[in-house]
Amino acid sequence: MRKPSYEQGTGGPIHHRIPPGDSLERRVCNECGFIDYVNPRVVVGSVCTWGDRFLLCKRAIDPRKGYWTIPAGFMEQNETSSEGAMREAREEACADIEIDALLGVYNIARISQVQLIFRARLVSPDVAAGPESEQVGLFSWEEIPWDALAFPSVLWALRHYREVDGATDFAPRAEGPIPGRR
């Protein structure tokens, strides 16, 4: 069976059109018929704690370089969402974590992202900045740099963590931007 031309590197003419049986305009190769589905990206991450302290990473890369976030990033091929969240904690904070539960599913439609954020515990308080972090730290709730958080979803995840802290049975939060709420 012939592979689509984009994999062979020959690349036929790409046109935007609605393929048969579809309802949305897609990028379609007129030579081989390959349909390039551009779908939302999945971000995985975790609210990690050591006792009553939260792990935060100061971003060393754009977007939002210099702002604080939880360890999170794009899911890779051939990994589960929890494996991805554990990998991101290792990459960004040199941290080993144990995942407890799915905390939230955040839909950020304007940038085509779905974020799966877990509740996790650090295996050890020994953390260090990875290549994508300028600095990492463990913060009490009162010490969190609320005015310097990188993304609204970090705020959502931290607040939701606080709401379900200590609960063993809770539903993951599913939200996106809510009018009148930051």
Side-chain angles (χ1 to χ4, degrees):
M1 178 178 213
R2 183 176 166 213
K3 288 184 178 179
S5 62
Y6 83 99
E7 289 182 12
Q8 295 174 346
T10 59
I14 299 293
H15 295 276
H16 288 86
R17 62 183 164 93
I18 299 173
D22 204 333
S23 61
L24 299 174
E25 189 175 84
R26 311 283 184 187
R27 293 168 30 110
V28 180
C29 175
N30 285 346
E31 285 186 12
C32 70
F34 176 77
I35 302 169
D36 182 17
Y37 292 96
V38 179
N39 298 106
R41 307 265 327 254
V42 178
V43 170
V44 291
S46 53
V47 175
C48 307
T49 57
W50 179 258
D52 64 349
R53 302 184 77 74
F54 295 84
L55 174 64
L56 294 177
C57 306
K58 191 173 193 179
R59 293 178 58 82
I61 59 171
D62 283 321
R64 307 291 287 162
K65 181 179 179 180
Y67 286 83
W68 292 91
T69 188
I70 58 176
F74 291 113
M75 200 169 148
E76 297 291 347
Q77 296 290 324
N78 303 312
E79 72 181 358
T80 66
S81 54
S82 58
E83 288 169 342
M86 290 186 289
R87 176 186 48 75
E88 287 293 338
R90 279 189 305 277
E91 288 178 1
E92 295 184 7
C94 302
D96 288 320
I97 63 172
E98 293 176 347
I99 299 229
D100 174 51
L102 180 62
L103 182 63
V105 177
Y106 307 126
N107 295 286
I108 322 283
R110 68 179 176 78
I111 55 174
S112 298
Q113 283 185 6
V114 175
Q115 298 185 4
L116 304 175
I117 306 300
F118 293 90
R119 182 170 75 172
R121 289 178 302 279
L122 289 162
V123 173
S124 155
D126 298 324
V127 294
E132 295 182 1
S133 300
E134 290 179 11
Q135 174 182 354
V136 297
L138 294 171
F139 297 84
S140 70
W141 186 258
E142 295 75 24
E143 296 169 332
I144 292 173
W146 297 105
D147 291 338
L149 294 179
F151 309 106
S153 57
V154 175
L155 179 64
W156 302 337
L158 290 168
R159 284 183 176 166
H160 189 220
Y161 180 96
R162 186 75 181 249
E163 289 172 16
V164 301
D165 188 20
T168 57
D169 186 24
F170 63 92
R173 172 71 41 86
E175 68 178 78
I178 299 173
R181 186 168 161 197
R182 181 177 168 213

